Structures are given as structure tokens and as C-alpha cells.
Amino acid sequence: MIMKSELKNVRDVMNKSIISVDKDDIIRTAVNKMVHGEIGAVIVTEKDKPVGILTERDILKFIANEKMDLDNSKVENIMSAPLISVDSSSSLEEAAGVMLTNNIRRLIIKEKDEYVGIISQRELQRFITELR
């Protein structure tokens, strides 16, 4: 059980494994990474710099618009940008507030201008629930 006093910031609960795709990759490449990694989003990069995020929701919108050419459409055409992030020293409450304000389910964590992790709404809910 995690004690409230032990959790100081998002650094304590973030997922340090960031899976990424290049903005010029086809959507099927991103979908395959998401399926094989059992994750709901990938970070989109350009020249190894994060420029956006591709989420399950982005892909569903793409499919709903009947533009289902996963093999010829690029990730950059449907990704969400810009990336919304908080510093790794931010509190869980701050992170939840940013997610609610921006209507997002995943939040990128930064440390000294470098992306170091990601936290999902589900992970945040789990940790907050464990504090009770």
C-alpha cells in the first residue's frame, strides 16, 4: 500500500517507458506498436524530438471519418499536437487538473526540457484511489 506521505509528485507514478513513432510513419506502424505494447498512445517524433501524441481516440476519429487507409496515411495527419506536459515535480493534483482542463487522458512528464515519462488518467486514478 502506498502511503500519502510517500507520493510527492508525478515522478513517483509516471511510466518511464515512452514508445514513439516518427511523424512520417504510416498509421499501421503506430497501431502495431500500440497493440504489441498493450498501450493506448505513442509519442510522435520528428528528428527524435517529440512533436505530438497519437492516441486510440485519434485513430477512432480517423476510422469514423471513413479514411481507413492505415497503410498510406501518415501519423502526422491524425496526431494530437502540441504535446501537453507537466514537470516531473508537479503534484498528482496538478497533473489531474491539467488533464481535466485540456480534456486529455495522457500527460507527458518533462524534466529539464526533456520528456522522461507519461502518465495516464487510469494510472492517476489508481494511485489516488490507493491513497484513500
Side-chain angles (χ1 to χ4, degrees):
M1 175 93 160
I2 298 173
M3 302 302 294
K4 188 170 186 171
S5 61
E6 294 173 15
L7 280 180
K8 297 182 177 97
N9 50 47
V10 293
R11 182 186 308 111
D12 298 320
V13 297
M14 71 181 184
N15 183 341
K16 294 176 185 154
S17 174
I18 299 177
I19 309 291
S20 64
V21 294
D22 189 85
K23 70 178 187 70
D24 292 323
D25 284 344
I26 60 170
I27 295 169
R28 184 170 306 281
T29 299
V31 169
N32 286 338
K33 282 190 175 190
M34 292 167 71
V35 168
H36 293 295
E38 297 182 359
I39 55 175
V42 289
I43 300 302
V44 181
T45 60
E46 179 177 19
K47 298 179 183 171
D48 295 323
K49 299 277 187 195
V51 294
I53 187 169
L54 181 67
T55 68
E56 294 163 321
R57 187 185 300 179
D58 296 324
I59 295 164
L60 287 173
K61 286 180 189 175
F62 177 74
I63 292 170
N65 288 330
E66 298 180 23
K67 300 175 186 172
M68 295 177 43
D69 191 354
L70 300 178
D71 295 312
N72 290 308
S73 297
K74 292 182 179 182
V75 168
E76 73 175 324
N77 295 333
I78 67 167
M79 71 181 188
S80 296
L83 279 174
I84 298 172
S85 64
V86 295
D87 188 83
S88 63
S89 63
S90 297
S91 71
L92 297 177
E93 291 81 9
E94 289 171 311
V98 169
M99 293 169 93
L100 283 171
T101 299
N102 292 283
N103 193 31
I104 58 174
R105 296 180 186 163
R106 291 163 189 87
L107 187 60
I108 308 306
I109 312 303
K110 285 175 82 170
E111 203 167 84
K112 299 179 185 174
D113 294 326
E114 184 177 326
Y115 294 100
V116 295
I118 187 169
I119 189 167
S120 71
Q121 181 181 44
R122 181 174 290 142
E123 290 165 330
L124 191 58
Q125 289 170 333
R126 183 181 324 118
F127 284 103
I128 288 172
T129 300
E130 287 179 8
L131 292 176
R132 294 182 179 170

